[in-house]
Amino acid sequence: MDRTLEQTAQYFIDLEERYGAHNYHPIDVVIHEAKGVWVTDVEGKRYLDCLSAYSAVNQGHAHPKILQAMIEQAHRVTLTARAFRNDQLGLFYKALCDLTGYQRVLPMNSGAEAVETAIKLARKWGYKVKGVPDGKQEIIVCEGNFHGRTTTIISFSTEPQYKEGFGPLTPGFVVVPYGDADALEAAITPNTVGFLVEPIQGENGVIVPPEGYLRRAAEICKRHNVLFINDEIQTGLGRTGKLFVQDYEGVRGDILILGKALSGGFYPVSAVLADDPVMGVFQPGDHGSTFGGNPLAAAVARAALSVIVEENLPQNAAVMGAYFKEQLEEINSPLIKEVRGRGLLIGVEMKPEAGGARRFVEALRDRGILSKETHVHTVRFAPPLVIKREEIDWALERIRPVLHGQF
Ligand SMILES: *Cc1c(COP(=O)(O)O)cnc(C)c1O
C-alpha cells in the first residue's frame, strides 16, 4: 500500500502538538490498531505492548468477547442516566459482587472519580457512623501516592509538580511514609476516618511494600475504627498474579477502588466496593454521575470481568510474571539498580548514572517494545495478562541489549 501524507507518524504528531494541550509528553509512536498484546503504528510497524494502557487492557487489546458485548449493547441502548433503571446495571453489580465478595457497588467512570467517591464515602461514614464532627474528618495517605488528578486528590500528592499552581488545595489529609505501619498507627487521631493506600505503588516506580504491611495496616485500621481504603485501580483484576494484591495477605479493604481493567480498555468504567455498614451511609442525592453505571459501561465491564475469570488471567500473570521477572533479574547489566514487582507489574530501576529511564524506553520503542518510564529512573513492564511465554522471550531478546546500554 502506498503511503499518503496522512499515514506518516509525523503528520499526526504535528496535529497533536499544534492543537492539543501540552499536558503529556508521549513516546512518539502513533498507534493505528491493536489486537491482544500487539499494536501496529500508522506506518505498519508492529510493537509488543508492555504498558497495557497502565493496566487498563489486562485482557489484551480488542478482546473479541468484550468487543461483541460492546457492539451488541451499543445497538440497544447506551445511556439512560440514573434517572431511570436499565437492564444491564444490576447484572454488572451482581457479577462484581459475586466475584469480589463485597455487598455493594457504586459505579463511576474514571479512576480519579472513584477515588473521590471513596473519599466522600469515608468522610460521610466518619461523620454519620464514627461521630467525627463534619469538617474535621482526616484521611491518612502515603508518601509517593498516586490516586489521580482532581483538585482534591492532588492536594495530598507528594509530587510537587502535581500541586504547584493549583491551590487552594483541599485540607483533611495526613501523609505518612509508605510501607511503615507504625507511622500509620502514630498518625491516627480521634478524627481519622480512613487510610487510603495503593497495595503496590505503580506510578511511584512499582514500589512493593514489606511483606505483612497490608495485614498490619488493616489490623491497625480495625483496632482504631478507621476505614482501610484500598486503591487497586492499577494493581487489581489479575495484574499482580492474584485477583487483588490484598488477597496475598488475606485482608480486605473496607472500601476497594477499581478502574482501568474493569472495562478491558474499551470504555471508562470505575467502581467503589464496600459492604452495607459503609455504603449504607449514602442516601439518594448524596452522590452521582451522569455516565456512571450506564448500560454500555455495565455490559462492557461485565464482559471484561468474565474474560478475567474464564481465561484465568491472574494465574497467567503469576506464571508469566515470575518468568519475566526472573529473566530480567538475570540480565546482569551494570546499569540496572533493581528489578522489582509482582506478577506482570514489573519495574526495572536503572542507576542514576544510566541517564534516566526515558532513553531506554525510546530505545526499546525503536526495537518494537512499548514501555514507559515511571518516576525518572524506572522502566515499567506490564504487558496484557494474555501474554505467552514465546512473546516474553521475543521481548527479552530486545530488552537485553537495550538494558545493557546498546541503543
Ligand atoms: C490510574 C490510577 C488512578 C486514576 O485513574 P484515572 O482513570 O486516570 O483517573 C488512581 N489510582 C491509581 C492507583 C491509579 O493507578
Side-chain angles (χ1 to χ4, degrees):
M1 191 177 74
D2 280 345
R3 275 188 201 152
T4 66
L5 176 64
E6 280 72 17
Q7 284 168 320
T8 67
Q10 197 56 47
Y11 172 76
F12 297 101
I13 293 169
D14 290 345
L15 279 176
E16 286 192 15
E17 293 302 306
R18 166 69 183 76
Y19 294 106
H22 289 180
N23 59 326
Y24 273 96
H25 179 33
I27 303 293
D28 278 335
V29 50
V30 182
I31 295 167
H32 176 61
E33 56 187 3
K35 185 108 193 80
V37 300
W38 298 98
V39 307
T40 309
D41 74 8
V42 285
E43 294 174 359
K45 189 172 172 203
R46 247 163 57 109
Y47 305 81
L48 183 67
D49 182 0
C50 279
L51 183 65
S52 312
Y54 299 98
S55 298
V57 284
N58 283 359
Q59 298 87 338
H61 290 275
H63 192 289
K65 184 167 175 182
I66 311 173
L67 180 61
Q68 188 61 27
M70 183 159 187
I71 291 168
E72 282 175 14
Q73 189 57 42
H75 279 288
R76 281 197 297 269
V77 58
T78 55
L79 184 62
T80 57
R82 297 288 303 280
F84 310 118
R85 298 185 187 267
N86 68 70
D87 65 4
Q88 294 300 311
L89 183 56
L91 297 172
F92 164 55
Y93 284 167
K94 181 169 190 314
L96 192 50
C97 287
D98 285 351
L99 181 64
T100 61
Y102 284 88
Q103 293 174 338
R104 302 229 168 237
V105 183
L106 198 163
M108 297 295 284
N109 311 284
S110 68
E113 284 174 298
V115 172
E116 286 274 348
T117 302
I119 291 168
K120 288 176 72 177
L121 183 57
R123 285 178 169 188
K124 189 76 145 188
W125 172 88
Y127 170 64
K128 284 178 80 167
V129 178
K130 188 168 176 175
V132 177
D134 198 14
K136 298 287 182 203
Q137 299 97 321
E138 289 167 11
I139 293 176
I140 300 172
V141 298
C142 291
E143 251 166 50
N145 72 72
F146 183 84
H147 297 284
R149 299 291 205 150
T150 64
T151 316
T152 287
I153 295 171
I154 57 114
S155 296
F156 57 81
S157 173
T158 56
E159 181 66 45
Q161 196 200 350
Y162 293 179
K163 317 163 72 147
E164 193 196 326
F166 297 124
L169 301 173
T170 307
F173 299 95
V174 176
V175 181
V176 298
Y178 186 60
D180 182 345
D182 294 328
L184 162 65
E185 185 154 35
I188 292 175
T189 76
N191 291 334
T192 305
V193 298
F195 171 52
L196 172 62
V197 67
E198 298 155 89
I200 293 175
Q201 288 185 330
E203 295 317 294
N204 196 30
V206 189
I207 309 295
V208 183
E211 156 114 54
Y213 174 61
L214 296 179
R215 199 162 40 237
R216 277 207 64 209
E219 181 269 311
I220 289 165
C221 286
K222 198 179 171 74
R223 189 145 40 78
H224 293 272
N225 197 23
V226 165
L227 298 178
F228 177 47
I229 309 169
N230 186 13
D231 180 350
E232 296 232 22
I233 290 172
Q234 181 162 162
T235 55
L237 300 171
R239 170 56 55 189
T240 69
K242 286 194 186 283
L243 192 58
F244 302 113
V245 181
Q246 65 178 14
D247 300 339
Y248 277 104
E249 300 204 351
V251 299
R252 188 167 176 274
D254 298 302
I255 301 176
L256 180 68
I257 314 173
L258 303 181
K260 296 198 166 115
L262 190 50
S263 69
F266 279 83
Y267 199 85
V269 185
S270 63
V272 173
L273 293 156
D275 291 339
D276 282 320
V278 174
M279 199 67 95
V281 304
F282 273 158
Q283 299 290 306
D286 280 347
H287 190 59
S289 161
T290 302
F291 278 81
N294 73 72
L296 186 58
V300 165
R302 189 154 57 93
L305 289 173
S306 72
V307 167
I308 291 168
V309 174
E310 282 164 14
E311 300 189 11
N312 279 322
L313 295 185
Q315 171 68 11
N316 198 56
V319 175
M320 292 301 133
Y323 175 67
F324 199 176
K325 182 157 169 268
E326 165 206 298
Q327 293 294 308
L328 287 167
E329 278 161 354
E330 279 178 17
I331 288 180
N332 227 333
S333 158
L335 300 173
I336 297 177
K337 183 174 165 197
E338 189 185 29
V339 179
R340 54 180 180 252
R342 197 151 214 187
L344 281 169
L345 181 59
I346 303 172
V348 179
E349 183 172 343
M350 309 305 291
K351 288 184 182 158
E353 58 267 33
R358 180 83 181 195
R359 306 165 58 222
F360 295 89
V361 164
E362 286 175 351
L364 286 166
R365 185 248 348 249
D366 294 341
R367 291 183 187 239
I369 307 280
L370 296 186
S371 64
K372 188 76 172 74
E373 77 274 15
T374 140
H375 225 258
V376 190
H377 295 294
T378 302
V379 183
R380 169 171 26 197
F381 294 106
L385 310 186
V386 295
I387 197 165
K388 300 188 182 80
R389 188 177 291 257
E390 309 84 79
E391 291 161 335
I392 292 177
D393 287 333
W394 187 94
L396 285 162
E397 267 174 50
R398 286 151 183 86
I399 292 168
R400 281 188 198 102
V402 169
L403 295 188
H404 270 107
Q406 295 157 21
F407 288 1

